[in-house]
PDB file of all heavy atoms in Angstrom:
ATOM      1  N   ALA A 283     176.125  96.761  88.330  1.00 83.00           N
ATOM      2  CA  ALA A 283     174.850  96.474  88.986  1.00 83.00           C
ATOM      3  C   ALA A 283     174.594  94.966  89.043  1.00 83.00           C
ATOM      4  O   ALA A 283     174.157  94.415  90.065  1.00 83.00           O
ATOM      5  CB  ALA A 283     173.714  97.185  88.261  1.00 83.00           C
ATOM      6  N   GLY A 284     174.852  94.278  87.928  1.00 80.00           N
ATOM      7  CA  GLY A 284     174.651  92.827  87.914  1.00 80.00           C
ATOM      8  C   GLY A 284     175.553  92.120  88.893  1.00 80.00           C
ATOM      9  O   GLY A 284     175.122  91.201  89.618  1.00 80.00           O
ATOM     10  N   ALA A 285     176.816  92.544  88.933  1.00 84.00           N
ATOM     11  CA  ALA A 285     177.745  91.927  89.881  1.00 84.00           C
ATOM     12  C   ALA A 285     177.303  92.181  91.316  1.00 84.00           C
ATOM     13  O   ALA A 285     177.414  91.306  92.188  1.00 84.00           O
ATOM     14  CB  ALA A 285     179.153  92.464  89.642  1.00 84.00           C
ATOM     15  N   SER A 286     176.775  93.385  91.571  1.00 84.00           N
ATOM     16  CA  SER A 286     176.305  93.710  92.922  1.00 84.00           C
ATOM     17  C   SER A 286     175.123  92.825  93.310  1.00 84.00           C
ATOM     18  O   SER A 286     175.020  92.353  94.452  1.00 84.00           O
ATOM     19  CB  SER A 286     175.906  95.183  92.995  1.00 84.00           C
ATOM     20  OG  SER A 286     177.016  96.015  92.691  1.00 84.00           O
ATOM     21  N   LEU A 287     174.208  92.612  92.360  1.00 79.00           N
ATOM     22  CA  LEU A 287     173.071  91.736  92.648  1.00 79.00           C
ATOM     23  C   LEU A 287     173.532  90.316  92.974  1.00 79.00           C
ATOM     24  O   LEU A 287     172.998  89.662  93.878  1.00 79.00           O
ATOM     25  CB  LEU A 287     172.112  91.709  91.458  1.00 79.00           C
ATOM     26  CG  LEU A 287     171.325  92.998  91.184  1.00 79.00           C
ATOM     27  CD1 LEU A 287     170.516  92.855  89.907  1.00 79.00           C
ATOM     28  CD2 LEU A 287     170.403  93.325  92.355  1.00 79.00           C
ATOM     29  N   LEU A 288     174.512  89.831  92.248  1.00 78.00           N
ATOM     30  CA  LEU A 288     175.024  88.486  92.517  1.00 78.00           C
ATOM     31  C   LEU A 288     175.673  88.406  93.893  1.00 78.00           C
ATOM     32  O   LEU A 288     175.517  87.408  94.611  1.00 78.00           O
ATOM     33  CB  LEU A 288     176.030  88.086  91.437  1.00 78.00           C
ATOM     34  CG  LEU A 288     175.448  87.862  90.034  1.00 78.00           C
ATOM     35  CD1 LEU A 288     176.567  87.576  89.041  1.00 78.00           C
ATOM     36  CD2 LEU A 288     174.444  86.724  90.037  1.00 78.00           C
ATOM     37  N   VAL A 289     176.392  89.447  94.275  1.00 81.00           N
ATOM     38  CA  VAL A 289     177.023  89.465  95.596  1.00 81.00           C
ATOM     39  C   VAL A 289     175.967  89.477  96.696  1.00 81.00           C
ATOM     40  O   VAL A 289     176.056  88.741  97.688  1.00 81.00           O
ATOM     41  CB  VAL A 289     177.964  90.678  95.722  1.00 81.00           C
ATOM     42  CG1 VAL A 289     178.452  90.827  97.164  1.00 81.00           C
ATOM     43  CG2 VAL A 289     179.147  90.536  94.777  1.00 81.00           C
ATOM     44  N   VAL A 290     174.938  90.316  96.520  1.00 81.00           N
ATOM     45  CA  VAL A 290     173.871  90.380  97.523  1.00 81.00           C
ATOM     46  C   VAL A 290     173.147  89.038  97.622  1.00 81.00           C
ATOM     47  O   VAL A 290     172.815  88.553  98.717  1.00 81.00           O
ATOM     48  CB  VAL A 290     172.887  91.516  97.178  1.00 81.00           C
ATOM     49  CG1 VAL A 290     171.672  91.461  98.102  1.00 81.00           C
ATOM     50  CG2 VAL A 290     173.578  92.861  97.292  1.00 81.00           C
ATOM     51  N   ASP A 291     172.890  88.415  96.472  1.00 77.00           N
ATOM     52  CA  ASP A 291     172.226  87.105  96.482  1.00 77.00           C
ATOM     53  C   ASP A 291     173.075  86.071  97.203  1.00 77.00           C
ATOM     54  O   ASP A 291     172.558  85.240  97.961  1.00 77.00           O
ATOM     55  CB  ASP A 291     171.959  86.662  95.045  1.00 77.00           C
ATOM     56  CG  ASP A 291     171.284  85.299  94.992  1.00 77.00           C
ATOM     57  OD1 ASP A 291     170.091  85.209  95.348  1.00 77.00           O
ATOM     58  OD2 ASP A 291     171.960  84.315  94.615  1.00 77.00           O
ATOM     59  N   LEU A 292     174.375  86.120  96.978  1.00 78.00           N
ATOM     60  CA  LEU A 292     175.270  85.179  97.645  1.00 78.00           C
ATOM     61  C   LEU A 292     175.274  85.399  99.150  1.00 78.00           C
ATOM     62  O   LEU A 292     175.226  84.447  99.937  1.00 78.00           O
ATOM     63  CB  LEU A 292     176.683  85.326  97.074  1.00 78.00           C
ATOM     64  CG  LEU A 292     177.757  84.410  97.669  1.00 78.00           C
ATOM     65  CD1 LEU A 292     177.417  82.955  97.385  1.00 78.00           C
ATOM     66  CD2 LEU A 292     179.130  84.749  97.101  1.00 78.00           C
ATOM     67  N   LEU A 293     175.312  86.658  99.575  1.00 78.00           N
ATOM     68  CA  LEU A 293     175.340  86.968 101.009  1.00 78.00           C
ATOM     69  C   LEU A 293     174.022  86.630 101.696  1.00 78.00           C
ATOM     70  O   LEU A 293     173.996  86.271 102.876  1.00 78.00           O
ATOM     71  CB  LEU A 293     175.668  88.447 101.219  1.00 78.00           C
ATOM     72  CG  LEU A 293     177.071  88.888 100.780  1.00 78.00           C
ATOM     73  CD1 LEU A 293     177.239  90.385 100.989  1.00 78.00           C
ATOM     74  CD2 LEU A 293     178.146  88.118 101.543  1.00 78.00           C
ATOM     75  N   SER A 294     172.908  86.741 100.962  1.00 73.00           N
ATOM     76  CA  SER A 294     171.595  86.457 101.564  1.00 73.00           C
ATOM     77  C   SER A 294     171.216  84.992 101.445  1.00 73.00           C
ATOM     78  O   SER A 294     170.120  84.605 101.836  1.00 73.00           O
ATOM     79  CB  SER A 294     170.519  87.322 100.901  1.00 73.00           C
ATOM     80  OG  SER A 294     170.401  86.994  99.514  1.00 73.00           O
ATOM     81  N   GLY A 295     172.087  84.167 100.910  1.00 65.00           N
ATOM     82  CA  GLY A 295     171.805  82.738 100.802  1.00 65.00           C
ATOM     83  C   GLY A 295     170.827  82.408  99.712  1.00 65.00           C
ATOM     84  O   GLY A 295     170.247  81.325  99.679  1.00 65.00           O
ATOM     85  N   GLY A 296     170.557  83.301  98.810  1.00 52.00           N
ATOM     86  CA  GLY A 296     169.655  83.035  97.703  1.00 52.00           C
ATOM     87  C   GLY A 296     168.212  82.935  98.109  1.00 52.00           C
ATOM     88  O   GLY A 296     167.405  82.342  97.416  1.00 52.00           O
ATOM     89  N   GLU A 297     167.816  83.498  99.290  1.00 47.00           N
ATOM     90  CA  GLU A 297     166.463  83.353  99.791  1.00 47.00           C
ATOM     91  C   GLU A 297     165.645  84.624  99.676  1.00 47.00           C
ATOM     92  O   GLU A 297     164.542  84.712 100.196  1.00 47.00           O
ATOM     93  CB  GLU A 297     166.496  82.910 101.257  1.00 47.00           C
ATOM     94  CG  GLU A 297     167.156  81.549 101.452  1.00 47.00           C
ATOM     95  CD  GLU A 297     167.189  81.153 102.902  1.00 47.00           C
ATOM     96  OE1 GLU A 297     166.790  81.995 103.737  1.00 47.00           O
ATOM     97  OE2 GLU A 297     167.610  80.028 103.201  1.00 47.00           O
TER      98      GLU A 297
END
Side-chain angles (χ1 to χ4, degrees):
S286 300
L287 290 175
L288 292 176
V289 171
V290 172
D291 179 72
L292 180 63
L293 294 178
S294 63
E297 298 179 355

